[in-house]
Amino acid sequence: MQLSRLKPTPQRLLNVQSWIGMPLRAVMDLKVLVSSLNEFAPLSLAESWDNVGLLVEPSPPHTVSTLFLTNDLTEEVMEEALQKKANLILSYHPPIFQPLKRLTWKTWKERLIIQALENRVAVYSPHTAYDAVPHGVNNWLAKGLGPCTSVPLQPASALDYPSEGSHRVEFNACSSENLETVLSSMHKLPGVSFITTLPIRAEGDEQTRVSLNCTQQALVQVMALLSQNSHVYRKTEIISLQKPLLADTGMGRLCTLKEPVSISILVERVKSHLRLPHVRLALGTGKSLESQVKVVALCAGSGASVLRGTESDLYLTGEMSHHDVLDAVSKGITVILCEHSNTERGFLLELQQALALHLDGKIHIIVSERDRDPLKVA
């Protein structure tokens, strides 16, 4: 048969054939899925004041075939999730933040929890953990600026110290015989580790340099032991160890554009990225729409506490107080405000793809169509 005579296969048929070839979606146990979500964005990165993780858990066993993503879990969004047979709702903002003293039908947040439990739907919230990770909300927001490099405004530290213990104690010992007794006692102290000795020559004498790591609690006992054996050592140093910073991880972003652009161009880029017809703009003192911008400090949501005091040409966030805006403008810093959730919601589409890869396509992941910012221009 000549190739020119071949008829194109209807697109709908191609789609059906691709569905046939696809394996049936599996389900995941809730505990396994939550563990995987925690690996995607460790909850330890969240702010201390935040309420993150699994907030609502139906009685086990509970399996998940459909994961439903939303920025805010409202009653309208809950209705949508139930219609779409969701087994787990991932709500970026935690629907439970302040403690609930009762579960009644009087308030909308109480009704959400009752509906979730009655319909066996789990609820998980990552919130500021997603703000901190390199593949999270703030990095997504920075993509709207154009080509740039970025670093966290508030870098996050690792959970653990580079070695065991939070402190290092170093001292020179002049009596090797008594030193063995002291070191033996130190070895027995809980929280003391990594004891090393090195022969040195100091102050004209042969001495031994001792180095050990210990916890904050053990430090008191180590110093007490040294005080009891002051004739053994001559010089002591206490070094406070620092937890290493995590690469590209933390709150907010300080972005340096590859090429400076005018404020008006940057406004249009932000509007396009967030799919907004308008934003709120406060020009810095002495600035115009044609003023050039090279450095942008940004923070998704309500970013005043993160942005405050940062030197840059422009602040980008969802909302700031009137007085925080005035303070920035007085310093010549232009401010773009997009409303709180508008700086976060667009990330969900990127998250949908990232989680599909992270979970190896084991479950169905959908994004809410009813979730939206409550504020509109009338």
Side-chain angles (χ1 to χ4, degrees):
M1 182 181 294
Q2 296 180 0
L3 292 178
S4 60
R5 288 188 171 183
L6 288 175
K7 294 182 179 181
T9 304
Q11 183 64 38
R12 187 170 182 177
L13 179 58
L14 287 173
N15 289 338
V16 171
Q17 289 172 338
S18 65
W19 292 340
I20 294 174
M22 288 176 62
L24 294 175
R25 290 195 181 275
V27 297
M28 293 183 69
D29 178 78
L30 177 63
K31 293 186 182 299
V32 174
L33 177 52
V34 166
S35 177
S36 187
L37 290 175
N38 292 346
E39 291 174 1
F40 180 79
L43 300 181
S44 59
L45 296 175
E47 296 282 22
S48 59
W49 48 259
D50 209 354
N51 190 34
V52 294
L54 186 62
L55 304 184
V56 177
E57 179 182 10
S59 57
H62 184 70
T63 56
V64 177
S65 59
T66 299
L67 172 60
F68 182 90
L69 308 181
T70 184
N71 199 74
D72 293 295
L73 182 55
T74 62
E75 291 187 278
E76 184 180 2
V77 171
M78 173 61 83
E79 180 182 6
E80 178 191 10
L82 295 179
Q83 289 173 352
K84 294 182 177 180
K85 309 298 182 185
N87 314 106
L88 172 62
I89 296 173
L90 187 153
S91 176
Y92 169 75
H93 287 136
I96 303 175
F97 193 76
Q98 300 296 338
L100 296 174
K101 293 185 177 181
R102 59 183 59 83
L103 286 178
T104 70
W105 208 248
K106 289 184 178 181
T107 68
W108 69 277
K109 288 202 171 184
E110 291 175 61
R111 291 194 292 272
L112 286 177
I113 308 308
I114 292 171
Q115 285 183 292
L117 290 172
E118 286 182 342
N119 291 277
R120 293 189 58 76
V121 178
V123 179
Y124 178 95
S125 176
H127 201 200
T128 51
Y130 275 14
D131 293 348
V133 291
H135 48 282
V137 179
N138 282 311
N139 272 39
W140 167 80
L141 184 58
K143 292 178 182 179
L145 303 176
C148 65
T149 58
S150 67
V151 294
L153 287 171
Q154 296 179 356
S157 299
L159 271 180
D160 301 315
Y161 291 93
S163 57
E164 292 185 40
S166 58
H167 291 77
R168 176 170 298 153
V169 178
E170 296 184 348
F171 62 90
N172 292 351
C174 52
S175 173
S176 59
E177 181 178 347
N178 294 330
L179 175 61
E180 291 184 8
T181 303
V182 173
L183 292 182
S184 177
S185 299
M186 286 184 175
H187 269 294
K188 297 175 183 178
L189 293 176
V192 173
S193 62
F194 199 62
I195 299 180
T196 61
T197 58
L198 179 70
I200 62 170
R201 186 171 182 82
E203 300 175 356
D205 296 327
E206 298 295 332
Q207 299 181 16
T208 302
R209 183 68 170 175
V210 179
S211 175
L212 63 89
N213 286 4
C214 64
T215 62
Q216 177 74 47
Q217 294 79 7
L219 178 61
V220 176
Q221 296 175 291
V222 169
M223 296 312 298
L225 188 59
L226 286 176
S227 297
Q228 295 168 11
N229 296 271
S230 57
H231 60 285
V232 174
Y233 70 95
R234 291 187 177 177
K235 181 182 178 182
T236 303
E237 291 181 84
I238 301 175
I239 303 168
S240 179
L241 301 178
Q242 299 296 318
K243 295 180 179 179
L245 297 179
L246 298 174
D248 304 319
T249 304
M251 298 302 166
R253 294 294 183 270
L254 187 65
C255 307
T256 303
L257 303 181
K258 186 175 181 181
E259 297 291 340
V261 297
S262 67
I263 292 174
S264 60
I265 289 177
L266 201 60
V267 167
E268 292 305 314
R269 286 182 182 179
V270 170
K271 287 163 61 176
S272 175
H273 185 59
L274 302 185
R275 300 181 183 180
L276 296 175
H278 67 274
V279 294
R280 291 190 286 165
L281 177 68
L283 288 172
T285 299
K287 301 300 172 61
S288 71
L289 287 175
E290 298 311 310
S291 296
Q292 297 294 293
V293 174
K294 178 68 174 180
V295 180
V296 177
L298 64 82
C299 180
S302 181
S305 62
V306 176
L307 300 175
R308 192 177 296 125
T310 301
E311 295 184 7
S312 68
D313 301 315
L314 185 143
Y315 286 172
L316 170 61
T317 187
E319 60 180 339
M320 290 173 66
S321 76
H322 174 74
H323 297 286
D324 281 321
V325 173
L326 288 179
D327 186 61
V329 167
S330 72
K331 298 173 182 176
I333 301 172
T334 296
V335 178
I336 298 178
L337 302 180
C338 311
E339 306 307 345
H340 188 114
S341 67
N342 288 336
T343 57
E344 304 160 339
R345 184 170 289 103
F347 170 68
L348 294 179
L349 292 175
E350 188 171 291
L351 175 65
Q352 180 185 33
Q353 301 301 318
L355 287 180
L357 290 173
H358 183 70
L359 300 173
D360 298 322
K362 292 178 181 178
I363 58 174
H364 188 42
I365 304 175
I366 54 180
V367 177
S368 173
E369 297 175 1
R370 299 184 189 176
D371 175 42
R372 60 183 179 274
D373 194 275
L375 293 173
K376 294 182 179 179
V377 175

